[in-house]
Amino acid sequence: MGKLVFKNIRKYIFKTGDKSLNKLFRDEVNTNSKNYFTLENLAEGNYFYKYFPLGNAIKCLNDNTMAFVEPSRWNDAYERLFYEADYSLVSSEYQTHPLVYATCATYVKYNEPAWGIYSGDDKICVQFEIDRPRLRYEIIKSLDNGDSVYEGVVQYATKRRIQRLGKKKNITKNGNEINNKDYDLFISNNGIPFGIANYLNLLLLKRQDFHHEQESRFFIVKKEDVDNQTEKAKEDTYEVSDSTGRRSYVTHGKVKILNNIQWIKVLKSITINAEEKHYAYKLLRDTVNQMIDREIGDPTEKAKLKAKLEPVSYLVYGKTPDKITIEK
């Protein structure tokens, strides 16, 4: 496992080869009092890869939306620890640990686990290959005035290390107390008062088991939630039973939907783990074509985009192998 570091917050300087896009981004920041921050340097590369169950991908393309969720909805309890932690002993101001909304993407063209983790009940998963600068513009464009977005690369640590991070002292095998270097790094941070940078650094920690994901996270902090000290969800899930006695769990936590995300300008490619003859492939292809027909008027441009964004069929395990007969 690599060394954990504290990532300072920096104002993001948007700079691409597209001067008109650069101006649009600056206008959102300067005219509408929006902010885009990064936590230290971002991962290198031009593209993100984001995975969806089929239904979520269809909804994004149909409605031009993107969902951010409160971290209390994250599946892994170790990821939720610092969102639900009690910070009252290190900070009396609620602004240092506000309600946030988050989404994630990977910055490597990905391996097998994602296709299973992000598939729905039908086992279908869709991968969006996303232009990074354009996505950043679409996100800040869709924020409400005065809101902020933060982007950072996830760091990975063991379960034990994550669980003990809030303690000032560690106990050695000999029973001696020693300073907890992780506490010094993430909480006290050389005596600097606990603030938003500490809080978001903690929300960028994830179990070492997920290191293969190579994840970046985006956090939205709404101005109204900071000003009004809006409370976060206090519970993760509660159990319910239907009339048949089957048990299920309902997740607490808010969802923030960004509208007006122009996926047609963000997407480089779309991949689905289904054959071209499968209903899911046809549904996705038809949805993409409808999006293009809806947003593009020029017939030549339409044809180019339909060819570019025609879903790619990717069978994670390849075709079903022939049955093996073990020879004597």
Side-chain angles (χ1 to χ4, degrees), residues 41-277:
N41 298 322
L42 303 178
E44 295 181 357
N46 296 321
Y47 300 103
F48 284 121
Y49 302 90
K50 192 161 178 59
Y51 291 78
F52 302 88
L54 176 64
N56 291 14
I58 297 295
K59 184 171 180 60
C60 287
L61 298 173
N62 273 334
D63 300 341
N64 287 343
T65 57
M66 185 175 182
F68 285 66
V69 303
E70 205 178 343
S72 53
R73 298 175 70 96
W74 288 345
N75 291 329
D76 185 1
Y78 285 88
E79 293 182 72
R80 301 193 302 265
L81 277 177
F82 297 114
Y83 189 69
E84 298 160 350
D86 180 358
Y87 295 97
S88 59
L89 298 180
V90 293
S91 172
S92 60
E93 297 184 7
Y94 192 86
Q95 285 89 329
T96 59
H97 44 97
L99 183 154
V100 303
Y101 303 89
T103 194
C104 65
T106 177
Y107 48 87
V108 293
K109 194 154 188 177
Y110 210 44
N111 51 22
E112 175 191 317
W115 295 98
I117 292 169
Y118 292 100
S119 63
D121 293 338
D122 56 5
K123 307 302 181 184
I124 300 298
C125 180
V126 177
Q127 180 207 69
F128 286 179
E129 185 174 21
I130 295 170
D131 180 283
R132 291 194 201 183
R134 187 77 207 195
L135 177 65
R136 290 167 181 144
Y137 168 68
E138 293 294 328
I139 289 174
I140 198 168
K141 180 192 72 175
S142 301
L143 293 181
D144 296 325
N145 290 356
D147 293 351
S148 300
V149 60
Y150 299 79
E151 180 185 339
V153 176
V154 169
Q155 298 190 85
Y156 300 91
T158 63
K159 290 190 293 186
R160 184 170 181 268
R161 194 171 181 182
I162 289 172
Q163 201 160 19
R164 296 175 64 176
L165 193 147
K167 298 182 180 296
K168 296 183 72 173
K169 301 286 185 180
N170 283 333
I171 308 298
T172 68
K173 292 181 180 179
N174 298 326
N176 298 321
E177 284 191 343
I178 59 172
N179 286 343
N180 182 353
K181 293 181 180 179
D182 289 335
Y183 182 96
D184 293 341
L185 182 65
F186 286 93
I187 308 300
S188 63
N189 191 23
N190 297 317
I192 298 173
F194 189 96
I196 187 67
N198 304 74
Y199 181 56
L200 295 180
N201 269 276
L202 294 171
L203 295 183
L204 285 174
L205 293 176
K206 194 166 183 175
R207 283 192 293 145
Q208 182 67 21
D209 309 58
F210 295 97
H211 184 267
H212 61 273
E213 292 185 348
Q214 297 297 285
E215 185 179 328
S216 287
R217 283 183 173 164
F218 303 82
F219 302 103
I220 291 174
V221 179
K222 293 187 60 59
K223 184 177 187 298
E224 65 186 58
D225 291 334
V226 173
D227 289 349
N228 299 331
Q229 300 185 8
T230 305
E231 290 191 11
K232 299 178 289 187
K234 290 185 171 63
E235 299 178 61
D236 306 331
T237 57
Y238 63 92
E239 188 175 342
V240 297
S241 298
D242 63 17
S243 57
T244 68
R246 290 177 299 190
R247 294 182 300 175
S248 60
Y249 294 89
V250 176
T251 305
H252 285 262
K254 299 179 180 180
V255 178
K256 171 65 179 172
I257 302 296
L258 294 188
N259 298 298
N260 199 28
I261 300 290
Q262 292 184 284
W263 288 108
I264 200 169
K265 295 183 178 180
V266 171
L267 290 168
K268 182 192 177 190
S269 70
I270 303 173
T271 303
I272 182 171
N273 64 336
E275 295 181 278
E276 294 180 7
K277 62 184 179 182

Side-chain angles (χ1 to χ4, degrees), residues 272-326:
I272 182 171
N273 64 336
E275 295 181 278
E276 294 180 7
K277 62 184 179 182
H278 196 282
Y279 85 92
Y281 179 93
K282 296 175 182 178
L283 177 60
L284 181 61
R285 180 196 59 203
D286 291 346
T287 301
V288 171
N289 288 341
Q290 289 165 12
M291 175 186 68
I292 294 170
D293 288 337
R294 185 174 67 239
E295 299 189 24
I296 303 297
D298 180 73
T300 303
E301 186 64 21
K302 276 187 183 183
K304 288 181 180 179
L305 278 171
K306 287 181 179 181
K308 172 188 172 184
L309 295 180
E310 182 173 358
V312 176
S313 174
Y314 171 63
L315 303 182
V316 180
Y317 301 107
K319 292 185 178 180
T320 304
D322 295 335
K323 183 177 179 179
I324 293 176
T325 299
I326 307 299

